[in-house]
């Protein structure tokens, strides 16, 4: 199973890191063979945190899951990841009134158009002060 995970990676909090570990464990429990592409707003930062958390991920999943990073702010990299995936996950961070929410909306629309499965895992919702962000959340 080829999986693309997007979210607020690159701005990781300890909660985002824990959510990613939980998502990996859940995926490992559901699929015997997985490939992960992780979209990051700032890949250089995510590269460091993935390295720091590699042992935790191995402990949670019982296996070494390779994670390929890409820049989710670059539309061509996001499109390539989506085309090559079976499943898109928005995982980690709240769906809230920040500009990158539109990237998530775009990714979900594109994935659905390509016939890919989509899911939101480990995300809160809000705050959503502006109608434009509320509409984006509804579209997701």
């Amino acid at each position: 199973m080829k999986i693309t995970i997007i979210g607020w990676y690159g701005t990781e909090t300890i909660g985002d890191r824990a959510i990613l570990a939980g998502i990996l464990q859940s995926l490992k429990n559901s699929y015997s063979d997985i490939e992960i592409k992780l979209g990051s707003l700032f890949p250089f930062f995510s590269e460091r945190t993935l390295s720091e958390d590699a042992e935790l991920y191995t402990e949670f999943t019982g296996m070494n899951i390779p994670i390929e990073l890409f820049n989710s702010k670059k539309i061509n990299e996001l499109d390539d990841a989506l085309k090559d995936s079976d499943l898109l996950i928005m995982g980690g961070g709240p769906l809230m009134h920040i500009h990158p929410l539109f990237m998530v909306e775009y990714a979900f629309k594109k994935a659905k158009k390509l016939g890919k499965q989509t899911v939101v895992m480990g995300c809160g919702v809000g705050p959503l002060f502006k109608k434009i962000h509320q509409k984006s959340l509804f579209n997701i």
Side-chain angles (χ1 to χ4, degrees):
M1 176 68 83
K2 295 181 179 183
I3 301 154
T4 294
I5 303 172
I6 58 173
W8 310 148
Y9 300 103
T11 63
E12 288 93 317
T13 65
I14 193 69
D16 295 332
R17 294 166 83 169
I19 289 167
L20 181 58
I23 289 171
L24 293 175
Q25 183 179 33
S26 179
L27 292 172
K28 197 277 180 187
N29 291 338
S30 299
Y31 306 104
S32 60
D33 185 28
I34 57 176
E35 295 177 27
I36 303 290
K37 291 186 180 185
L38 181 68
S40 175
L41 302 172
F42 303 100
F44 67 90
F45 187 71
S46 293
E47 184 174 11
R48 187 180 100 201
T49 58
L50 286 175
S51 174
E52 291 171 357
D53 294 344
E55 189 175 313
L56 174 69
Y57 300 153
T58 301
E59 184 178 325
F60 271 33
T61 63
M63 60 190 291
N64 182 12
I65 300 173
I67 299 174
E68 180 184 331
L69 277 174
F70 69 94
N71 188 332
S72 56
K73 293 187 298 186
K74 293 186 177 179
I75 218 74
N76 60 328
E77 292 186 30
L78 180 56
D79 283 348
D80 288 346
L82 294 172
K83 288 175 192 170
D84 192 40
S85 294
D86 303 304
L87 173 66
L88 169 65
I89 298 173
M90 168 57 189
L95 297 166
M96 61 183 288
H97 67 271
I98 58 175
H99 187 70
L101 183 64
F102 303 120
M103 175 271 296
V104 177
E105 178 184 15
Y106 170 84
F108 269 64
K109 282 182 179 179
K110 180 79 171 188
K112 290 173 185 174
K113 190 175 189 177
L114 293 169
K116 312 296 181 168
Q117 294 179 327
T118 59
V119 66
V120 175
M121 294 178 75
C123 297
V125 174
L128 293 160
F129 299 120
K130 297 180 180 178
K131 292 270 186 209
I132 192 165
H133 294 111
Q134 294 168 9
K135 182 179 179 187
S136 182
L137 175 65
F138 179 77
N139 289 335
I140 294 166

